Amino acid sequence: MAATGSAVGLGNIWKFPYVAGSNGGGAFVLVYLVCILLIGVPVMMAEVLIGRRGRQSPINSVRDVVLESGADSRWRHVGWVGVSAGMLILSFYAVIAGWALSYIFAMASGELAGVNGDSAAAVFAGLLADPVRLIFWQSLFMLLCVLVVVGGVKKGLGVAVEILMPLLFFMLLLLLGLSYFQGNFAAAWHFLFSFNIELLTWRGVLEAMGQAFFTLSIGMGAIMAYGAYMPQKVNIGKTILIVAFFDSLVAIVSGLIIFSIVFGTQGIEPSAGPGLMFISLPVAFANMSGGLLIGCAFFVLVSIAAWSSAISLLEPCVAWLIEAKDVGRTNANLLLAGFAWLLGIGSVLSFNVWSDIQLAGFTFFDFLDFLTTNIMLPLSGLLIALFVGYAVKPEFINLEMDDISPIMLKVWRVSLRYIAPVAISAVFVMGIYDKFFS
Ligand code: TRP
């Protein structure tokens, strides 16, 4: 449940639709699903295994598994890429979650009543143009995360994932039904599931792979940290398959809803970028009776999903600072959340005052997103696959995986040793080449 809470977040509802939209749909979605199954699931299982074996913060769990396996001590550094990625992701994640928070009130106040494609875009542009408002909502969101992580993860997260996540899921199904009748569902289906190989670039493949890592919360230790709490008798393979299934389902359903609206409304393009969800959904809410209330509830649930994900970005770093540097829980939180908050202001400004400043052809926000999602997470995923595939003591693997059928165990090991490393490296090289040199 907690892993699902971490996995299902803005990555599914906000990011998946707009990245799929910018990459032409169909073929991107297929590559994304293949990456989830062939790379994501095996690496996620490996992460949980390290966490459950080490039973500490990710960095220390990795260290102990390295020691106990008698592996080369340089493997210790596997945890580092991840923890730094977590901080960087949290910095911009809180900004986007702030947008969702602000939309709760934009719905409730009637600012989004009766909008069409153009006026919804104008309301969104108005929000982006105002750094003070953006910083206010970003700060509020960060504060909410700190409150839970200070209190300890278990209590706060329990309610969120057991009651509110199913509610979010139910709400998405409701919206799916509505968009089937009111939007252009057929066009959305065609866009997401027709295989248009011409529209796919290597850069798109790299983004699909990055998105698979991002959406499953792998490659930074979040899932490792949760693995540390996982009871020994729970089956890792089954659990991870279920998490990956629901995570993908939420992404696909969100995509269908959003593109039904996009293709059924004048003036919204599938390639609209990060604002896609914030422009398209209000149009749907404006067209239904009681829509403002439903919209308000929807953005509450999205904020909660973002919150249960953001917690998993903060907790591994906090846990490490407590263990390694003997810092108290409250101080560790304030220090790290403060850092992410400060860095987040760079993302805030990249949507307005700094929108012309470019780093390697990216705005600050796009740069951090690209660096973490498409470079750091796959890189750390590659290291995790190699580490568990080659360096961890077979005894540990047999102990943690004793409830998995021998065939599945074999498939998993082949994936960690050969399929995932080769696929990640190939996509990585081709994607970077395509992005920067072609
Ligand atoms: N998976 C979350 C989402 O889809 C985001 C997230 C939470 C994440 N923890 C993570 C991404 C760790 C990468 C690594 O919104």
Side-chain angles (χ1 to χ4, degrees):
M1 277 290 213
T4 312
S6 163
V8 175
L10 293 172
N12 310 62
I13 305 167
W14 158 74
K15 198 170 188 200
F16 170 75
Y18 97 74
V19 183
S22 316
N23 283 292
F28 175 91
V29 176
L30 186 69
V31 175
Y32 159 80
L33 290 174
V34 170
C35 286
I36 295 256
L37 212 61
L38 244 49
I39 305 174
V41 168
V43 170
M44 200 171 183
M45 287 167 64
E47 254 198 54
V48 173
L49 185 143
I50 299 173
R52 191 161 78 174
R53 193 65 232 160
R55 295 243 183 252
Q56 298 167 71
S57 75
I59 288 185
N60 288 347
S61 288
V62 170
R63 187 197 59 200
D64 284 7
V65 175
V66 171
L67 281 177
E68 289 173 25
S69 297
D72 189 313
S73 67
R74 275 171 295 178
W75 282 113
R76 270 188 345 240
H77 303 301
V78 167
W80 282 105
V81 192
V83 170
S84 6
M87 279 291 107
L88 301 182
I89 295 175
L90 181 61
S91 80
F92 67 79
Y93 204 84
V95 175
I96 313 294
W99 298 355
L101 279 182
S102 88
Y103 265 55
I104 300 174
F105 295 90
M107 281 286 166
S109 70
E111 192 187 354
L112 288 163
V115 287
N116 57 27
D118 292 330
S119 51
V123 171
F124 182 67
L127 173 68
L128 284 198
D130 188 345
V132 177
R133 251 162 84 201
L134 292 177
I135 291 175
F136 171 78
W137 294 110
Q138 172 222 9
S139 312
L140 186 66
F141 181 80
M142 207 57 119
L143 207 65
L144 290 173
C145 295
V146 169
L147 285 180
V148 181
V149 181
V150 166
V153 168
K154 272 192 174 163
K155 239 193 299 161
L157 211 57
V159 184
V161 290
E162 275 165 37
I163 302 171
L164 299 167
M165 295 302 279
L167 209 59
L168 172 71
F169 194 61
F170 176 75
M171 187 106 169
L172 283 171
L173 290 182
L174 193 88
L175 288 176
L176 184 67
L178 268 158
S179 66
Y180 183 84
F181 292 110
Q182 296 194 342
N184 192 344
F185 187 82
W189 186 272
H190 181 77
F191 183 73
L192 287 174
F193 298 120
S194 65
F195 189 72
N196 266 329
I197 188 83
E198 320 84 68
L199 293 177
L200 198 67
T201 58
W202 274 109
R203 180 187 167 178
V205 176
L206 177 64
E207 285 185 18
M209 182 173 80
Q211 173 64 16
F213 278 90
F214 188 92
T215 194
L216 292 176
S217 299
I218 50 182
M220 70 113 344
I223 291 302
M224 225 182 267
Y226 285 1
Y229 295 95
M230 195 178 187
Q232 197 64 39
K233 60 180 189 303
V234 177
N235 182 312
I236 293 182
K238 259 190 213 143
T239 310
I240 296 309
L241 273 175
I242 294 172
V243 174
F245 173 77
F246 275 107
D247 187 74
S248 308
L249 194 64
V250 170
I252 298 283
V253 169
S254 302
L256 283 171
I257 296 169
I258 286 176
F259 287 114
S260 295
I261 303 164
V262 167
F263 293 121
T265 312
Q266 279 289 323
I268 311 179
E269 290 300 321
S271 57
L276 190 65
M277 161 184 136
F278 292 92
I279 297 170
S280 57
L281 287 179
V283 176
F285 293 129
N287 286 329
M288 66 178 80
S289 57
L292 289 182
L293 197 68
I294 299 177
C296 192
F298 177 79
F299 281 107
V300 170
L301 293 172
V302 170
S303 304
I304 291 166
W307 181 60
S308 63
S309 299
I311 290 167
S312 77
L313 286 163
L314 185 55
E315 169 67 19
C317 311
V318 167
W320 166 76
L321 206 58
I322 296 171
E323 281 174 9
K325 301 283 170 227
D326 206 21
V327 179
R329 183 163 263 280
T330 310
N331 285 338
N333 251 292
L334 291 177
L335 208 69
L336 293 171
F339 170 78
W341 175 81
L342 203 64
L343 194 65
I345 293 184
S347 290
V348 164
L349 296 178
S350 75
F351 290 108
N352 36 67
V353 192
W354 289 354
S355 61
D356 291 332
I357 300 181
Q358 304 249 312
L359 281 160
F362 294 108
T363 65
F364 188 77
F365 161 76
D366 285 327
F367 177 78
L368 276 190
D369 181 23
F370 191 86
L371 176 71
T372 52
T373 307
N374 299 327
I375 297 183
M376 294 173 88
L377 296 182
L379 214 58
S380 133
L382 173 67
L383 292 176
I384 290 167
L386 293 174
F387 176 52
V388 175
Y390 292 98
V392 171
K393 229 196 214 163
E395 220 178 292
F396 291 163
I397 298 195
N398 294 336
L399 207 68
E400 296 296 331
M401 297 290 178
D402 61 351
D403 42 8
I404 288 178
S405 77
I407 300 178
M408 288 315 284
L409 193 62
K410 188 116 201 155
V411 172
W412 177 64
R413 294 208 72 173
V414 167
S415 169
L416 284 187
R417 293 183 145 204
Y418 310 105
I419 303 177
V422 170
I424 295 173
S425 315
V427 171
F428 204 67
V429 171
M430 297 306 286
I432 300 284
Y433 178 81
D434 186 23
K435 165 77 190 131
F436 293 105
F437 303 102
S438 70

